[in-house]
Amino acid sequence: MSHLGPRVSALVDGQLGHEARDRALAHVAHCPTCREALDAERAVKALLSGTATPAPSAALLGALTQLGEPGDPVAPRARAMPLGPVVPTLPPPGRGPFARRRDSRRPSAGRATRATRTRVATAGALSVAALLLGTAFVAGGEAAEPGVPVVPPAAELSVEHAATTGGLPLGDPAFTAVTASFGGLTVPGASGR
Amino acid sequence: MRRLVATGGHLAILGPLALAGLVLLPGSAPTLLRELPAAAPGAGAPQADPSAVRLLEKASEAPRYVTYRGVQFVSAWTAQGSTGLVADVTHEPGQGTTVSTRGTPTAPAGTTYLKSDVAEPSLLSGSTTTLSMLGEHYDIGLGELSAVAGRTADVVVVTRPGARRPAAQFWIDRATGLMLRREVYDERGRVTRASAFVEVAVGAAAVTADKGRNYGQREYADRAHWSRPDAWPDSLDAATLTQLRHRGWNCPEWLDTSLQLVDARRGAGDYDDIVHLSYSDGLASVSVFEQRGRLESSHLVGYRLASVRGRDVYVRDGVPQRLVWSADGTVFTVVADASARTVGDVVAALPRPPGGRGTWHRLGRGLDRVASWFNPFG
């Protein structure tokens, strides 16, 4: 039988009749080229069928959301006077002629203080979190599991599985190893054709 | 010399080549079918069409009196790719069955001979089989008449109650009852296991010709000396299992809600410290091996570390699929002829390995431990 070629796609899509499909699958069983093509086709179809509608990332959504929000209060600016002390450029809160209007429209020193407190609190919380995570990281190291080290006898277990289920794991590499180790299994001289 | 385990009997020839599940043990099937639960109408109860059940019974009996020779293929798909084999099968009632596989890029050609003597059913207490479990867990119905390898076939459709898609279909030769094709599907309806006759010839003449073509007479005669290795002989009864559980072995009666413990054994000789637990729902076959100790993962060959249901386990792909991990001082080896979803359910139903390897796993494990320091009840 020649290579499947375009029939690979029909095979994956279930468009072949049973007879044609059986013949194709029998061919695929011992044709690595067609098996690769079949696996690739199935992988692509699986990807396509499992692909959801593209969605923006969380980071992008967050950035877009922030665009529509008011910014943080602006901290009062202090200007260094040449040869003199630093003098606030704004009168104390509530003292200026337009204090009431300014209070309602511009960030005040009180709000700036609250912002500072917020920053301090945030920094403190972050420090505590960092300390906690650092402790957790150290404490989370692997603990030695109890018991003696064990490597399960893969071949023996595969054969035992087959023995109790009626299966014959002919495609199992471990089983192949078993068949090689038990002299009575393989017919001497029997060709695989 | 230790001999190969080659089991299943006649009809299981298609089952073994299907590399998965439905084990129809000749001789035991009629009795077992009588134990099939009656079709119980009601919410969620599996329904069994008597005609379909009779077809399965016929299929289980067919190898007792039908001589055949044919070419079968078996294909299996997993998330990691496909596995396929082509085999020449020759069966003579009362004599045995020869299965010659053709070489593939991953497996050499070889020939296996299965004697016709039927071993005792290895399933627990001999009264429950995968066939009876099929009726307990799945609706069994009839499909449309079809054809396989040029022969007319009745189709038996097996569906999980409430599901829209079938879980498996069996094509059974109308004339002889031979199972001609078998397909198992995953939850999305995709074929995960398929096996079928591409060619089949029924009758003694075909087999006689095959003898002359494939083997010298001497080799053919020699096959009579090949013994059929058995499963581990030390079967564990319910009382012993209870004792084992009290001594810290897991040995669950169920894995998730459908896989039931059907057989329990203990290894012999070098393997007397391993407990083998077999689970099935009639289609899927899962073996769980428990062994005291911790996994020496550095010595595993051919395995990859994978996350299954959030648990780090070592997986060896193929049919059957194998998974290994250790937890609570026990090494678990799962050998599964089952869908990925079922394998995930199995892993989730067993003790979980102690966390993952990544930073997040380590942090999570550490937070648990830090929390335990402040827990007055811990």
Side-chain angles (χ1 to χ4, degrees):
Chain A
M1 185 178 186
S2 59
H3 290 310
L4 295 180
R7 280 175 295 169
V8 167
S9 185
L11 178 62
V12 172
D13 291 337
Q15 294 173 343
L16 295 179
H18 277 309
E19 300 277 347
R21 186 156 63 106
D22 290 350
R23 283 195 299 274
L25 288 174
H27 171 76
V28 166
H30 58 86
C31 176
T33 305
C34 289
R35 184 187 302 170
E36 278 183 22
L38 180 62
D39 289 348
E41 188 81 15
R42 275 180 72 110
V44 169
K45 294 284 167 58
L47 275 176
L48 290 176
S49 63
T51 302
T53 306
S57 68
L60 177 60
L61 277 178
L64 290 173
T65 306
Q66 282 184 351
L67 284 178
E69 293 176 348
D72 287 336
V74 178
R77 297 177 63 186
R79 187 170 57 191
M81 298 299 288
L83 302 177
V86 175
V87 179
T89 57
L90 292 175
R95 295 252 178 116
F98 306 106
R100 196 175 178 86
R101 284 183 65 186
R102 270 203 308 272
D103 284 348
S104 62
R105 295 188 177 184
R106 299 186 60 182
S108 66
R111 291 181 67 181
T113 304
R114 282 196 299 275
T116 303
R117 286 177 183 159
T118 302
R119 286 195 196 94
V120 170
T122 303
L126 286 175
S127 301
V128 171
L131 182 64
L132 181 61
L133 288 177
T135 306
F137 187 82
V138 173
E142 292 284 357
E145 275 192 77
V148 297
V150 164
V151 180
E156 180 71 26
L157 300 189
S158 287
V159 170
E160 169 65 10
H161 169 76
T164 51
T165 61
L168 191 60
L170 296 173
D172 189 335
F175 180 81
T176 304
V178 172
T179 62
S181 64
F182 298 133
L185 175 66
T186 302
V187 174
S191 68
R193 275 188 288 169
Chain B
M1 180 191 306
R2 183 93 187 237
R3 298 288 185 177
L4 163 77
V5 172
T7 63
H10 313 298
L11 186 57
I13 285 301
L14 192 59
L17 290 175
L19 302 170
L22 178 64
V23 184
L24 303 173
L25 293 169
S28 58
T31 302
L32 299 167
L33 280 171
R34 279 196 292 275
E35 294 173 0
L36 204 66
Q47 309 277 322
D49 183 328
S51 301
V53 173
R54 276 195 295 275
L55 281 172
L56 289 178
E57 182 177 14
K58 185 179 176 183
S60 70
E61 285 289 307
R64 288 188 158 202
Y65 54 83
V66 178
T67 301
Y68 64 86
R69 185 191 69 77
V71 179
Q72 293 181 7
F73 78 88
V74 51
S75 293
W77 286 270
T78 65
Q80 280 66 43
S82 61
T83 302
L85 281 172
V86 176
D88 298 278
V89 181
T90 304
H91 172 71
E92 290 179 281
Q95 295 294 316
T97 310
T98 303
V99 183
S100 299
T101 56
R102 305 178 183 185
T104 71
T106 56
T111 298
T112 302
Y113 176 65
L114 306 175
K115 287 171 65 178
S116 64
D117 60 330
V118 179
E120 286 298 314
S122 61
L123 303 177
L124 197 64
S125 73
S127 62
T128 308
T129 72
T130 48
L131 181 55
S132 65
M133 301 191 77
L134 194 68
E136 292 173 5
H137 294 284
Y138 295 93
D139 294 336
I140 302 176
L142 281 177
E144 293 183 4
L145 204 63
S146 183
V148 177
R151 302 181 69 88
T152 303
D154 292 300
V155 180
V156 174
V157 182
V158 173
T159 310
R160 193 175 287 281
R164 289 183 295 114
R165 299 187 175 101
Q169 292 190 88
F170 307 102
W171 283 257
I172 297 169
D173 185 28
R174 170 157 281 196
T176 64
L178 281 178
M179 184 93 66
L180 297 176
R181 180 193 284 124
R182 179 177 186 273
E183 291 184 350
V184 180
Y185 313 100
D186 67 7
E187 294 77 11
R188 294 167 64 180
R190 297 173 300 189
V191 178
T192 58
R193 308 278 193 276
S195 58
F197 277 106
V198 183
E199 304 167 15
V200 63
V202 176
V207 173
T208 304
D210 182 65
K211 283 182 186 176
R213 189 177 63 181
N214 285 338
Y215 314 107
Q217 191 61 38
R218 181 175 167 277
E219 284 98 344
Y220 197 84
D222 282 347
R223 288 179 297 171
H225 300 296
W226 299 349
S227 60
R228 179 202 301 271
D230 296 320
W232 291 344
D234 192 359
S235 185
L236 304 175
D237 58 18
T240 307
L241 283 174
T242 301
Q243 290 176 1
L244 284 175
R245 290 180 188 119
H246 287 152
R247 286 172 14 210
W249 296 78
N250 210 259
C251 306
E253 198 67 37
W254 290 84
L255 294 176
D256 77 80
T257 56
S258 62
L259 290 168
Q260 185 180 356
L261 180 66
V262 294
D263 186 57
R265 294 175 180 276
R266 180 177 168 177
D270 293 341
Y271 309 113
D272 63 353
D273 61 340
I274 304 178
V275 172
H276 175 200
L277 308 156
S278 301
Y279 298 85
S280 178
D281 66 353
L283 280 181
S285 298
V286 175
S287 287
V288 175
F289 296 91
E290 294 189 24
Q291 190 173 8
R292 284 298 174 85
R294 61 180 166 82
L295 180 64
E296 187 68 270
S297 58
S298 61
H299 287 70
L300 293 176
V301 178
Y303 288 79
R304 62 185 171 87
L305 185 61
S307 177
V308 178
R309 299 288 173 89
R311 304 169 182 210
D312 285 351
V313 299
Y314 291 88
V315 178
R316 181 162 186 163
D317 299 308
V319 182
Q321 189 178 41
R322 278 176 284 157
L323 303 93
V324 189
W325 73 94
S326 57
D328 302 337
T330 301
V331 176
F332 294 91
T333 302
V334 171
V335 184
D337 292 318
S339 67
R341 180 175 172 181
T342 300
V343 170
D345 290 342
V346 169
V347 173
L350 290 168
R352 63 183 306 149
R357 285 182 153 189
T359 303
W360 291 113
H361 284 109
R362 180 169 180 162
L363 283 175
R365 195 163 50 237
L367 285 173
D368 286 343
R369 287 175 186 166
V370 170
S372 71
W373 298 341
F374 300 99
N375 180 4
F377 306 103

